[in-house]
């Protein structure tokens, strides 16, 4: 199954105590790169989250967002900082004595001082909290994977279509190639006649030797066979592979370009050159699409 590297998945799960929303966005990347943004108090679950995502995302950059909403007060503890409170009391007493100020230092005053009483997140049961987070992540990964498969199928259809277009062009070039040497021979004979007229008798075998040298230099049979073979490989990879194929397709496109460049440089024929420009245009479109495949 061909998968796109771009996609989005969302999952939401609640156990009655907390509600977790997980969102995963993936884009193109050469390797698997996963970053997780979540409340620091749940950082103990980060590695497991990455592991769950890597089960499905083998290549691409994944940005993960985890939002945890506490539905009860069980995960929050109010703590008294006696050291800070003591310093406030001592300083207030010193201030009162130094300036002869009236008034009492009571609990209401001290309790409202900054950092004396503080609500602190407190995860009492990490396994319980992690289980809820993981369920949300699993849902997000599943939705992400489904979207990537749909996009991947579209990419595969487009690549198969372009591969067939190139095979059709290769057939045209293959039909045209034998004519190139014959046309060169006729042009050579006509050019000699134009230059020398009938004053000099040029041996026919000499012309044939020159034509044979040209035909050998312009021979593109091997390149056409290899390019057609690459199209077969493209079809096989897209229709029969069950693992990530992006890197394999990257290499295959490089080989396609290599053969097309060689054909273009050796052909020495305007019609074949024109057909090769069409071929290179399709190969470039394939290359662009392959960048999106896992």
């Amino acid at each position: 199954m061909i998968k796109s590297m771009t996609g989005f998945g969302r999952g939401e799960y609640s156990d009655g105590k907390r509600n977790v929303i997980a969102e995963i966005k993936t884009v193109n990347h050469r390797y698997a790169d996963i970053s997780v943004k979540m409340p620091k108090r749940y950082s103990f679950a980060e590695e497991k989250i990455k592991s769950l995502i890597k089960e499905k995302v083998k290549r691409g950059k994944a940005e993960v967002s985890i939002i945890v909403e506490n539905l009860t007060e069980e995960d929050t503890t109010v703590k008294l900082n006696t050291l800070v409170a003591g310093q406030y009391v001592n300083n207030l007493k010193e201030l009162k004595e130094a300036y002869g100020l009236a008034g009492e230092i009571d609990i209401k005053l001290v309790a409202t001082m900054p950092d004396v009483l503080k609500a602190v997140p407190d995860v009492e049961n990490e396994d319980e909290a992690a289980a809820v987070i993981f369920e949300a992540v699993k849902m997000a990964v599943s939705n992400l994977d489904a979207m990537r498969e749909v996009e991947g199928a579209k990419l595969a259809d487009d690549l198969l279509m372009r591969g067939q277009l190139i095979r059709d062009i290769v057939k045209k070039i293959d039909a045209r190639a034998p004519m190139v040497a014959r046309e060169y021979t006729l042009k050579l004979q006509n050019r000699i006649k134009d230059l020398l007229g009938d004053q000099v008798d040029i041996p026919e075998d000499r012309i044939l030797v020159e034509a044979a040298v040209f035909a050998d230099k312009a021979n593109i049979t091997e390149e056409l066979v290899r390019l057609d073979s690459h199209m077969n490989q493209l079809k096989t990879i897209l229709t029969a592979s069950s693992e990530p194929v992006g890197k394999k397709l990257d290499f295959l496109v490089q080989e396609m370009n290599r053969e097309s460049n060689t054909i273009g440089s050796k052909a020495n024929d305007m019609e074949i050159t024109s057909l090769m420009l069409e071929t290179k245009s399709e190969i470039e479109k394939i290359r662009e699409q392959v960048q999106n495949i896992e």
Side-chain angles (χ1 to χ4, degrees):
M1 175 66 71
I2 301 300
K3 296 181 183 179
S4 169
M5 278 195 284
T6 59
F8 176 81
R10 186 179 189 275
E12 185 171 356
Y13 188 81
S14 174
D15 66 348
K17 295 181 179 179
R18 56 188 71 78
N19 189 66
V20 179
I21 299 172
E23 294 182 342
I24 308 172
K25 177 184 177 183
T26 59
V27 294
N28 300 354
H29 197 273
R30 192 172 181 181
Y31 307 105
D33 180 16
I34 302 173
S35 59
V36 180
K37 183 179 180 182
M38 62 190 301
K40 188 175 180 180
R41 63 187 290 197
Y42 300 108
S43 60
F44 58 83
E46 183 172 336
E47 289 306 313
K48 176 63 175 178
I49 290 171
K50 289 182 178 180
S51 178
L52 289 171
I53 295 170
K54 285 180 180 178
E55 290 178 6
K56 296 293 185 180
V57 179
K58 307 299 183 183
R59 187 171 176 234
K61 181 177 178 62
E63 296 178 351
V64 186
S65 172
I66 306 292
I67 299 173
V68 181
E69 301 172 341
N70 292 316
L71 304 179
T72 69
E73 297 180 356
E74 290 186 15
D75 287 342
T76 302
T77 299
V78 177
K79 291 189 175 182
L80 168 64
N81 193 326
T82 55
L83 293 176
V84 172
Q87 291 184 40
Y88 279 127
V89 172
N90 292 334
N91 286 325
L92 288 171
K93 286 180 179 178
E94 184 178 339
L95 182 66
K96 182 178 178 181
E97 293 174 0
Y99 295 97
L101 299 175
E104 296 297 326
I105 302 172
D106 60 16
I107 188 172
K108 291 183 180 180
L109 175 61
V110 177
T112 56
M113 293 295 183
D115 297 324
V116 172
L117 294 175
K118 191 172 184 180
V120 179
D122 180 29
V123 179
E124 295 181 357
N125 190 327
E126 289 188 357
D127 291 339
E128 184 181 89
V132 183
I133 294 172
F134 296 155
E135 286 300 319
V137 171
K138 288 176 184 177
M139 293 172 62
V141 171
S142 178
N143 291 331
L144 168 70
D145 200 49
M147 180 177 180
R148 292 165 77 234
E149 286 184 0
V150 170
E151 293 301 314
K154 292 178 183 177
L155 288 172
D157 288 343
D158 184 76
L159 293 176
L160 288 170
M161 179 270 292
R162 299 194 184 283
Q164 187 57 51
L165 283 177
I166 292 175
R167 296 196 74 179
D168 292 341
I169 295 173
V170 168
K171 289 178 182 178
K172 293 179 182 178
I173 295 173
D174 193 41
R176 170 65 185 166
M179 303 178 190
V180 176
R182 290 198 291 269
E183 290 180 2
Y184 175 80
T185 302
L186 292 173
K187 288 179 182 178
L188 183 60
Q189 290 173 332
N190 292 332
R191 188 176 182 188
I192 290 173
K193 288 180 181 179
D194 290 341
L195 292 173
L196 303 177
D198 297 326
Q199 298 176 10
V200 179
D201 184 19
I202 304 296
E204 185 69 20
D205 59 347
R206 180 59 180 165
I207 294 177
L208 293 177
V209 168
E210 291 295 330
V213 172
F214 172 83
D216 185 61
K217 290 182 178 179
N219 190 312
I220 55 175
T221 302
E222 290 184 11
E223 288 79 7
L224 289 174
V225 170
R226 283 196 292 266
L227 185 56
D228 189 64
S229 174
H230 294 335
M231 296 307 112
N232 274 329
Q233 287 179 279
L234 176 67
K235 184 176 181 179
T236 299
I237 291 171
L238 292 173
T239 57
S241 183
S242 60
E243 297 190 2
V245 296
K247 290 183 180 179
K248 188 182 293 185
L249 290 174
D250 279 338
F251 176 76
L252 186 60
V253 169
Q254 291 178 30
E255 294 302 306
M256 292 178 190
N257 271 316
R258 192 194 311 278
E259 301 303 337
S260 64
N261 287 334
T262 303
I263 292 170
S265 63
K266 288 177 66 175
N268 203 6
D269 178 71
M270 290 299 296
E271 186 174 335
I272 291 179
T273 298
S274 177
L275 290 170
M276 283 315 303
L277 288 175
E278 291 182 38
T279 302
K280 288 179 69 65
S281 175
E282 293 303 324
I283 292 175
E284 177 59 22
K285 291 172 184 175
I286 289 175
R287 187 195 67 79
E288 291 175 356
Q289 295 287 52
V290 165
Q291 302 310 305
N292 296 318
I293 292 178
E294 182 181 72

